[in-house]
């Protein structure tokens, strides 16, 4: 029995542009939580700053809307303090691949047990349409009438280079698949990266639902080597593969590798009390 | 020349060697009943360059370094040129390298100041005694020990203790070298220093020696800190080292983050989830943390950062001391929000203020910055016991809305739990229900609510402490490490009182203004260029302070710097 999806709604209505992919991404996130029977009080979402982050006060879970680019380290800190919570970092392509790229790489290699949802709308939308590293190379953008001089970079290459515990790609027009991918991310023990190709009719108007439909291919969730995953993950002019691209079930999480926490049953939040330091003090001579 | 203390300086090649020797000697001197204060000077490089280790000893508690020493032990020929002039007149220079060549100026200086130079072929002595060449350091130390007039057994005990893990062979060889050094024929009775050395305490000595950073780490453990997130930067790094090396005993989660931005964000996240987490850094790292301080301010999330200061802008002089980040701490983070800045001066205050920092951060839901300085962070203090720990106060209570407007400004905050109502912490300006707002009245109301906490906190903070005779005409004012040479100067009989600030911001000014209006001469003493504490106090009191003694050459305020103030 899933939890009533309305439990995850706050009193406010979303404010995105008509046709914006964020509506269904947020809906899928709520559906995933409800289908997994994770209550609002068992969830902690770290929201970034951007159009996606404007959903923060529209969702009724524990949440922290922090700073631009910092949703990932914030969620790592949240998670390590109490691993009983389902912790999610929710951020845009600008936040993830520009302001906070180091955080993404280090979170994957640290393998915190969190789920990172990237709203990849191929631009800085909230600041009215600047180029990101996923923006098309030919496309004129805010302040760049002749398009960006920098090269485009493929998120799948960046993510796979750090050997993630789970990497999946979804499309904001396919709620059912997004829900399944987010569920897989939450259930996976380790750092799960869910990249959502997000419709942004305002600043990425070329990439219409039709444009996506012509290119999207759903792939199977099978064992792939990193090499195979790279091939499957690469976006070409003709095709964008969606589904679970890569899993590495061998990786231990950061916390599991902490020698001094191995036999501890409690969480850090349960352990705040006065500690007698006399023995430690006595070790000084 | 301060009368109630004696000062030894070791000068040598930069590296672990001189530090190890300095600690050994500090422990040995402490073990026979002295109070010591040890201070290191070293360059920011791993090999090459010269370094020194200075030990001041006294029968009473001291916490400052002298500018000049009675005895200088040179372990590397280069070091002699750097440190020769720090010797007192009639002092002793002990060296063990034939390659030491004095310049003409140095030779003249040695003569003028009646310095005794002693050359000891310590390597040959070590080898003849059956030891290895590196044990020449032990030969030098034991010869020094003899000059000081101390008993060789006491040094032997410490050598055994320090080399305990190295096995019997190493210990035995070291002891052979120790004895050979102590009995070296270069010794003459006229060199004996015992008339200059203060009397040692007769009673049983259970005191310990630890650094200011050790004290902060112990205080953090005591206060229930369960996670430490760090990124290496001198002089904060040794907090990381202590918490890391004791993590099995304490169970504290240790994470070396990819940057200070990450470290402080992780700390913020863990605090928001309801544990206690710490991060520590120095100036440059602190700059990177400032966006998060601002974020903690508006989201009303408790946060504690230790800012261990070194001197200079940019990379500055990484391994040297100063207190030039007071203003940065007080003004840190964009926008307007309440915060607290506390200032550590020694082991006791480091231990207590870090605990206080967590209580204040949690009760008032604000960022708290704990300042220390290289001179406190890495120097060894002698202490008998630690003060009583503070009771943990978390200030949590349940409510309907996370940002409810109250008289004190303090809203309900409850630790996230499966059976409690979820809430949003948000760095967007927001109303009482965490909804983002652009409404003029709501913006103002929430800003006022937050700033009300500043007023509430200010009324609960203590005034600064006045040390010394309140009837003397001259009062020095300072914070942090300034306290230590000033109190030592008072103990040397200097006719001053001292007003010491531990709680810098929000700023109490009543005690200070009472001194001003009673006609006292007020002199600010700071280890920075522009009088950072003075500026904060002027801003809070409206009063322009005229006299300032400022030092900003990377060196600490030595005892003589205080004694030389014209009063
Ligand atoms: C430190 C900082 N720099 C810049 C900004 C301005 N800013 C707000 S949102 C944003 C870009 C958001 O882009 P993205 O993360 O892709 O999210 P989107 O709006 O596209 O969903 C920027 C640059 C900020 N809030 N903070
Ligand atoms: S600008 Fe783009 S991302 Fe932002 S709300 Fe509009 S459609 Fe959505
Ligand atoms: Mg974007």
């Amino acid at each position: 029995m899933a939890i009533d999806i309305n439990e995850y709604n706050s009193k406010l209505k979303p404010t995105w542009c008509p046709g914006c992919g964020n509506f269904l991404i947020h809906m899928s996130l709520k559906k995933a939580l409800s289908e997994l029977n994770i209550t609002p009080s068992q969830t902690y979402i770290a929201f970034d700053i951007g159009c996606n982050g404007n959903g923060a006060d529209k969702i009724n879970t524990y949440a922290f809307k922090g700073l631009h680019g910092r949703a990932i380290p914030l969620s790592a800190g949240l998670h390590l303090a109490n691993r009983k919570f389902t912790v999610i970092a929710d951020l845009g392509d600008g936040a993830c691949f520009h302001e906070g790229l180091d955080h993404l790489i280090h979170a994957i290699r640290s393998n915190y047990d969190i789920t990172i949802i990237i709203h990849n709308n191929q631009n800085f939308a909230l600041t009215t349409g600047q180029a990101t590293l996923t923006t098309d190379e030919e496309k004129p953008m805010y302040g760049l009438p002749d398009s960006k001089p920098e090269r485009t970079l493929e998120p799948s290459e960046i993510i796979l280079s750090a050997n993630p515990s789970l990497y999946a790609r979804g499309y904001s027009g396919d709620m059912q698949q997004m829900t399944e991918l987010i569920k897989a991310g939450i259930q996976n023990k380790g750092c799960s990266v869910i990249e959502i190709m997000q419709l942004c009719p305002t600043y990425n108007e070329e990439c219409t639902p039709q444009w996506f439909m012509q290119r999207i291919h759903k792939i199977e969730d099978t064992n792939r080597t990193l090499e195979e995953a790279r091939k499957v993950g690469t976006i070409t002019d003709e095709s964008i593969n969606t589904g679970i691209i890569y899993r590495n079930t061998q990786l231990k999480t950061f916390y599991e590798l902490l020698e001094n926490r191995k036999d501890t049953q409690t969480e850090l939040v349960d352990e705040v009390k006065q500690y007698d330091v006399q023995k430690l003090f006595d070790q000084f001579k | 020349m301060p009368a109630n203390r004696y000062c030894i300086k070791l000068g040598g090649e930069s590296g672990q060697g001189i530090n190890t020797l300095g600690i050994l000697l500090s422990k040995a001197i402490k073990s026979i009943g002295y109070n010591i204060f040890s201070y290191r000077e070293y360059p920011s490089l791993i090999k090459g360059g010269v370094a020194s280790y200075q030990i001041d000893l006294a029968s009473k508690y001291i916490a400052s370094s002298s500018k000049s020493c009675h005895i200088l032990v040179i372990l590397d020929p280069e070091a002699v040129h750097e440190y020769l002039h720090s010797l007192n007149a009639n002092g002793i220079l002990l060296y063990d390298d034939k390659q030491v060549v004095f310049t003409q100026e140095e030779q003249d200086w040695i003569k003028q100041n009646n310095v005794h130079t002693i050359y000891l072929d310590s390597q040959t002595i070590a080898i003849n005694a059956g030891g290895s060449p590196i044990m020449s350091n032990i030969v030098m130390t034991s010869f020094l020990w003899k000059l000081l007039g101390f008993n060789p057994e006491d040094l032997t005990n410490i050598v055994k203790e320090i080399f305990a893990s190295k096995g019997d062979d190493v210990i035995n060889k070291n002891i052979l070298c120790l004895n050979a050094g102590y009995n070296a024929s270069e010794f003459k009775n006229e060199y004996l220093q015992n008339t200059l050395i203060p009397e040692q305490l007769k009673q049983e000595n259970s005191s310990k020696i630890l650094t200011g950073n050790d004290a902060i780490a112990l205080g953090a453990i005591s206060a229930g800190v369960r996670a430490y997130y760090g990124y290496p930067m001198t002089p904060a790094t040794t907090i990381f080292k202590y918490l890391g090396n004791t993590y099995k005993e304490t169970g504290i989660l240790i994470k070396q983050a990819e940057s200070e931005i990450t470290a402080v964000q992780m700390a913020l996240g863990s605090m928001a989830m309801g544990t206690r987490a710490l991060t520590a850094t120095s100036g440059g790292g602190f700059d990177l943390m400032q966006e998060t301080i601002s974020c903690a301010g508006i989201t009303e999330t408790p946060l504690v950062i230790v800012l261990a200061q070194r001197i200079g802008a940019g990379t500055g002089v990484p391994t040297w001391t100063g207190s030039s980040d007071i203003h940065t701490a007080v003004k840190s983070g964009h926008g307007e929000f309440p915060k607290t800045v506390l200032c550590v001066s020694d082991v006791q205050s480091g231990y207590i203020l870090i605990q206080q920092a967590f209580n204040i951060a949690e009760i008032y839901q604000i960022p708290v910055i704990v300042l220390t300085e290289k001179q406190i962070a890495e120097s060894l203090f002698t202490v008998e016991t630690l003060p009583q720990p503070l009771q943990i106060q978390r200030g949590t209570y349940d409510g309907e809305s996370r940002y409810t407007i109250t008289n004190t400004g303090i809203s309900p905050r409850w630790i996230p739990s499966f059976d409690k109502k979820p809430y949003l912490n948000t760095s967007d300006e927001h109303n009482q229900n965490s909804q983002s707002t652009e409404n003029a009245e709501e913006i103002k109301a929430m800003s006022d609510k937050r700033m009300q906490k500043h007023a509430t906190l200010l009324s609960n903070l203590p005034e600064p402490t006045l040390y010394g005779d309140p009837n003397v005409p001259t009062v020095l004012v300072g914070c942090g490490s300034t306290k230590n040479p000033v109190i030592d100067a008072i103990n040397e009989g200097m006719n001053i009182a001292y007003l010491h600030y531990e709680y810098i911001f929000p700023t109490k000014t009543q005690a200070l203004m009472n001194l001003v209006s009673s006609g006292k001469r007020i002199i600010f003493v700071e280890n920075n260029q522009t009088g950072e504490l003075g500026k904060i106090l002027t801003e809070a009191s409206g009063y322009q302070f005229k006299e300032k003694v400022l030092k900003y050459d990377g060196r600490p305020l030595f005892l003589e710097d205080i004694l030389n103030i014209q009063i």
Side-chain angles (χ1 to χ4, degrees), chain A residues 41 44 57 62-67 70 77-78 103 110 112 260-261 268-269 271 273-275 284-285, chain B residues 208-209 222 224 226 247 251-252 255 258 262 269-270 273 275 291 390 392 417 420 423 425 427-428 436:
Chain A
S41 291
Y44 214 128
D57 55 357
Y62 284 107
F64 199 125
K65 184 176 183 181
L67 296 177
R70 312 290 174 229
L78 287 163
H103 306 311
S110 302
Y112 307 118
N260 70 332
R261 303 284 310 171
L268 300 181
V269 286
E271 299 167 6
K273 60 179 171 80
Q274 196 132 57
Y275 289 80
F284 290 92
K285 295 264 165 63
Chain B
K208 323 256 178 231
I209 47 177
S222 159
R226 303 308 295 151
Y247 87 141
I252 288 180
K255 167 74 187 176
E258 63 266 21
T262 307
S270 289
M273 192 57 104
T275 192
E291 57 167 9
L390 299 183
I392 291 181
S417 158
K420 294 201 169 164
Y423 57 82
N425 302 298
S427 83
D428 280 350
S436 300

Side-chain angles (χ1 to χ4, degrees), chain B residues 321-560:
Chain B
T321 201
S323 61
S324 51
D325 299 333
I326 297 172
H327 216 251
T328 298
V330 169
K331 303 293 175 189
S332 58
H334 60 282
E336 296 166 303
F337 57 90
K339 69 166 88 70
T340 297
V341 180
L342 311 177
C343 199
V344 167
S345 57
D346 51 22
V347 163
Q348 282 80 3
S349 69
Y351 180 69
I352 289 298
L353 288 182
I354 192 71
Q355 302 178 41
Q356 187 68 285
F358 277 94
N359 284 351
I360 291 175
E362 289 213 271
I363 294 169
Y364 297 91
Q365 306 171 29
I366 55 172
V368 179
I369 297 144
V370 179
L371 290 171
T372 185
E373 300 153 44
K374 187 256 173 184
Q375 176 66 5
I376 306 157
E378 295 188 351
S379 295
L380 283 174
F381 294 78
T382 311
V383 289
E384 287 293 328
T385 53
L386 290 172
Q388 273 301 106
L390 299 183
Q391 217 180 351
I392 291 181
Q393 292 177 280
R394 309 204 62 188
T396 47
Y397 70 102
D398 291 357
E400 255 315 293
S401 301
R402 175 68 183 89
Y403 296 113
T404 307
I405 291 174
T406 63
N407 288 339
T408 56
I410 301 170
S411 303
R413 178 180 74 94
W414 56 100
I415 288 170
S417 158
F418 290 0
D419 57 1
K420 294 201 169 164
K421 191 177 172 216
Y423 57 82
L424 167 67
N425 302 298
T426 175
S427 83
D428 280 350
E429 190 54 281
H430 46 263
N431 61 21
Q432 301 188 63
N433 299 315
S434 302
Q435 295 164 340
S436 300
T437 185
E438 296 177 0
N439 172 290
E441 272 136 46
E442 287 187 341
I443 293 171
K444 182 167 183 304
M446 196 50 64
S447 303
D448 287 342
K449 179 205 98 79
R450 270 194 304 273
M451 216 43 108
Q452 180 58 38
K453 296 192 293 183
H454 180 98
T456 306
L457 175 58
L458 182 60
S459 67
N460 290 333
L461 288 182
E463 285 283 341
T465 312
L466 189 74
Y467 291 89
D469 178 359
N471 298 314
V472 299
T474 306
V475 180
L476 272 45
V477 181
C479 64
S481 71
T482 297
K483 174 177 148 195
N484 301 324
V486 173
I487 300 277
D488 285 355
I490 292 174
N491 289 334
E492 289 274 337
M494 192 177 181
N495 201 29
I496 49 167
Y498 173 59
L499 189 70
H500 180 65
Y501 270 89
E502 277 193 333
Y503 297 81
I504 293 184
F505 191 80
T507 314
K508 289 284 204 188
T509 57
Q510 194 59 52
L512 177 63
M513 294 318 290
N514 287 348
L515 293 170
V516 170
S517 55
S518 68
K520 302 276 188 203
R521 181 179 168 206
I522 305 285
I523 308 174
F524 276 81
V525 183
E526 302 199 42
N527 208 180
N528 57 50
Q529 190 174 9
T530 57
E532 305 226 338
L533 176 68
K535 285 190 285 186
I536 303 293
L537 294 178
T538 293
E539 187 174 317
S541 67
Y543 190 81
Q544 291 289 341
F545 302 97
K546 288 168 218 81
E547 290 192 76
K548 291 177 183 180
V549 173
L550 304 173
K551 183 174 183 185
Y552 46 95
D553 56 3
R555 276 67 186 163
L557 288 155
F558 293 117
L559 178 55
E560 291 89 330

Side-chain angles (χ1 to χ4, degrees), chain B residues 252-313:
Chain B
I252 288 180
L253 181 147
I254 303 288
K255 167 74 187 176
Q256 186 185 304
E258 63 266 21
S259 67
E260 289 86 351
I261 293 174
T262 307
V264 72
Q265 279 285 327
M266 291 183 82
L268 185 75
S270 289
M271 293 286 271
M273 192 57 104
T275 192
R276 285 185 162 188
L278 179 67
T279 185
T281 186
S282 191
F286 185 78
D287 284 351
L288 293 177
M289 293 184 177
Q290 290 204 36
E291 57 167 9
T292 301
I293 293 174
S294 176
C295 180
I298 191 165
T299 60
E300 306 200 38
T301 311
L303 179 67
V304 176
I305 300 171
V306 173
L307 167 48
Q309 301 167 93
R310 60 201 216 188
I311 195 79

Side-chain angles (χ1 to χ4, degrees), chain B residues 139-246:
Chain B
V139 171
M140 291 294 270
T141 307
S142 63
F143 190 82
L144 166 69
W145 199 253
K146 180 141 185 193
L147 296 177
L148 300 174
F150 296 155
N151 189 335
E153 269 86 66
D154 295 319
L155 185 61
T156 309
N157 290 339
I158 296 296
V159 166
K160 279 185 187 158
E161 187 187 306
I162 290 209
F163 294 110
S165 62
K166 306 246 155 121
D168 284 347
D169 187 48
V170 173
I171 294 177
N172 290 339
K173 282 184 176 158
N174 270 293
I175 289 170
L176 288 173
C177 291
L178 189 153
N179 290 333
Y182 199 83
N183 297 319
S185 59
E186 283 79 354
F187 178 78
K188 289 189 195 140
N189 268 332
E190 63 190 87
Y191 298 151
L192 255 184
Q193 297 288 295
N194 41 8
T195 54
L196 296 170
I197 297 179
E199 235 177 273
Q200 72 205 67
L201 294 172
K202 294 283 179 284
Q203 77 250 37
E204 169 71 22
N205 185 347
S206 64
S207 60
K208 323 256 178 231
I209 47 177
L210 56 159
T211 66
N213 274 357
D214 292 332
I216 289 177
L218 285 169
I221 296 166
S222 159
V225 165
R226 303 308 295 151
Y228 180 81
Y229 302 112
Y231 189 89
M233 189 166 188
T234 307
T237 323
T238 52
I239 295 176
F240 184 0
K241 178 174 160 189
Y242 185 78
L243 292 176
N245 287 343
T246 53

